[in-house]
Amino acid sequence: MNDVVIIGGGPAGLMAGIFAARSGAKVLILERMREPLRKLKITGKGRCNLTNTADLRAFLAEIGPQPNFLKPAFHRFFNNDTVAFFQEIGVPTVVERGGRVFPESNSAVEVANALMARAVKSGVSFRCDSRIHRLLQEDGRVTAVELTTHEIIQGKAFLLATGGASYPATGSSGDGYALARSLGHRVTPIRPALVAVETAGDSAGNLQGLSLVNVQANVWIEGRKAGEAFGELLFTHFGLSGPIILTLSRRYNEALQEGKEVVLSIDLKPALEDPKLDLRLRRDLDENGKMKLANLFKQWLPSKLIPEFLRLLELDGNKMAHQVSAEERKKIRRLMKDFRFQVTALRPFSEAIITSGGLSLEQIQPKTLASKLYPNLFFAGEVLDLDANTGGFNLQIAFSTGVLAGEHAAQLVQAQV
Ligand SMILES: Cc1cc2nc3c(=O)[nH]c(=O)nc-3n(C[C@H](O)[C@H](O)[C@H](O)COP(=O)(O)OP(=O)(O)OC[C@H]3O[C@@H](n4cnc5c(N)ncnc54)[C@H](O)[C@@H]3O)c2cc1C
């Protein structure tokens, strides 16, 4: 009989398998897709941002909703361990801007291949095309799993690493929530996170394809500022996307689901305070009095933005700069500092980098990642109610929880011998 049966062959499942096997357990990983690690292979735009060099405090600040739950997992296996582990399995890494750690080869496929090779070398067995749809229990212990084919596989300890509900084409379609719920585990509502947004009005669509760098996006929920991010964003046919929009989505996805008003305000000139920007506009208008407004705008904004700005400001681009009134100048300045988009919806799970919400942490032991309801059931990875910003934080959660849960599942089995 298998000692540890792991449901889900993602990064959390593989790390759990490798470390459980290292601790002497006979491990079987059940994966519903034809091959494991489908999602890992597309991470970081194919480059796989493995982890982040941030120190523990800064690292925890990137994670929600209960980062302290992860302290024992990070204590056991943190970012430096990830770098050392991948070095050991033949994947040297490099550190890039913002402490982001990537494989030197820039290849997520190489990362996946190395992980698979190490799992096999450690003695982990795999069964692919094996989707679990039921956990069987008896007298407060999980005894077996049932495949959709009704085949039953027994084990001594079980580890649920089925991932979240985002990018379901990779295999993670949220099965783990139903499996855990069937045993009495609570699941906090799940939402797409690190995801683009749909916005009201025509502006985003009119600007589709335009990417802006060095801008600041501010989030307003019901008129209250709820966050800001500086960097790059992208206009699309449906609304807004790009790194800062994805990052901020974790701040407002809950509010949006609750029907609250969410507004994203883009500051196109974050380096210039209002008075300084006004001075600059005044100077340019004075010095170029005979220039057409549409041409003068080129000194202030990317060309693609200009027709949309003129439309929103109801200004004629053929107007001479010296004809612009103080009131019009004020309107121009306002729009540059506060280009508003009402958020109407998040894009769907199929486009979300991660899932927020998930298995309630209240019913899980942080030191072992064992269920408080079934002592031989363990959890790891995105299925948990934990999620983080982009930057390598989410994979580190998967690795750390995988290691901790895998080792404790193996220990439990050995203690029973
Ligand atoms: C496009 C994209 C890019 C990303 N880039 C990064 C990045 O660069 N850095 C970073 O830190 N994070 C990144 N992430 C997030 C990261 O991929 C996830 O946080 C991570 O994969 C979670 O690992 P996991 O093992 O918990 O789940 P998953 O990787 O989702 O693996 C779960 C596995 O379980 C299997 N499974 C599900 N249900 C069943 C079932 N019923 N029976 C059997 N098997 C089942 C699935 O097929 C899947 O193989 C990215 C995500 C996406 C979508």
Side-chain angles (χ1 to χ4, degrees), residues 76-397:
R76 169 61 192 93
F77 192 91
F78 196 41
N79 48 11
N80 49 333
D81 301 300
T82 298
V83 169
F85 172 81
F86 279 99
Q87 173 77 36
E88 185 192 316
I89 66 169
V91 184
T93 53
V94 289
V95 182
E96 295 191 3
R97 186 178 47 86
R100 292 162 190 249
V101 178
F102 288 89
E104 226 173 66
S105 63
N106 278 325
S107 164
V109 171
E110 187 205 69
V111 173
N113 290 344
L115 258 183
M116 266 307 281
R118 176 47 58 112
V120 170
K121 193 173 167 194
S122 310
V124 175
S125 305
F126 285 88
R127 268 193 60 176
C128 295
D129 288 318
S130 301
R131 185 176 186 177
I132 305 308
H133 85 134
R134 210 151 71 95
L135 298 174
L136 308 180
Q137 56 86 28
E138 214 179 295
D139 299 331
R141 296 184 79 75
V142 179
T143 53
V145 293
E146 186 182 302
L147 275 66
T148 42
T149 54
H150 301 299
E151 185 187 346
I152 304 254
I153 295 178
Q154 290 177 327
K156 295 175 187 162
F158 295 82
L159 199 153
L160 196 65
T162 43
S166 59
Y167 269 66
T170 62
S172 359
S173 55
D175 283 4
Y177 307 128
L179 289 170
R181 210 185 266 128
S182 72
L183 293 183
H185 272 271
R186 282 191 296 277
V187 179
T188 57
I190 57 163
R191 294 175 292 278
L194 299 182
V195 68
V197 292
E198 294 173 16
T199 54
D202 300 327
S203 288
N206 292 344
L207 296 169
Q208 67 173 291
L210 174 66
S211 157
L212 298 175
V213 289
N214 299 332
V215 295
Q216 179 166 316
N218 302 302
V219 182
W220 295 85
I221 298 176
E222 299 276 314
R224 279 213 188 142
K225 190 163 174 185
E228 60 183 43
F230 175 83
E232 185 181 344
L233 68 74
L234 176 73
F235 295 96
T236 69
H237 65 282
F238 55 74
L240 298 171
S241 184
I244 59 175
I245 300 300
L246 264 55
T247 297
L248 285 173
S249 66
R250 291 182 60 238
R251 302 279 174 94
Y252 52 73
N253 59 5
E254 193 174 344
L256 211 55
Q257 208 169 44
E258 288 166 0
K260 292 183 180 158
E261 186 203 48
V262 177
V263 170
L264 277 167
S265 149
I266 300 166
D267 182 348
L268 297 155
K269 300 285 173 197
L272 294 176
E273 297 286 323
D274 263 356
K276 270 202 173 155
L277 179 59
D278 193 46
L279 217 64
R280 157 109 197 260
L281 297 182
R282 242 161 71 188
R283 193 196 62 206
D284 289 351
L285 288 162
D286 288 348
E287 287 176 4
N288 302 283
K290 291 200 171 134
M291 195 185 274
K292 281 185 183 171
L293 194 53
N295 288 334
L296 188 55
F297 257 94
K298 288 183 189 160
Q299 298 183 19
W300 301 332
L301 295 173
S303 306
K304 214 169 166 189
L305 257 179
I306 297 169
E308 188 57 17
F309 254 59
L310 292 172
R311 184 183 79 85
L312 292 169
L313 292 164
E314 295 172 343
L315 280 173
D316 177 0
N318 291 317
K319 191 171 184 167
M320 295 298 157
H322 72 87
Q323 293 173 313
V324 172
S325 69
E327 190 51 36
E328 285 169 336
R329 193 181 72 235
K330 191 170 157 190
K331 275 168 62 184
I332 296 171
R333 192 188 73 223
R334 278 217 186 122
L335 195 57
M336 285 180 173
K337 296 292 285 177
D338 186 15
F339 188 12
R340 289 187 160 233
F341 292 83
Q342 193 185 340
V343 178
T344 51
L346 296 171
R347 293 297 283 174
F349 273 114
S350 56
E351 296 172 24
I353 302 287
I354 47 160
T355 305
S356 63
L359 287 194
S360 167
L361 304 178
E362 317 282 290
Q363 294 170 308
I364 299 168
Q365 312 272 9
K367 287 188 179 154
T368 60
L369 298 176
S371 159
K372 289 184 181 171
L373 312 179
Y374 293 84
N376 70 335
L377 177 62
F378 295 80
F379 303 100
E382 201 179 316
V383 71
L384 297 164
D385 180 9
L386 289 163
D387 63 284
N389 285 329
T390 55
F393 305 102
N394 287 294
L395 276 176
Q396 185 62 51
I397 296 175

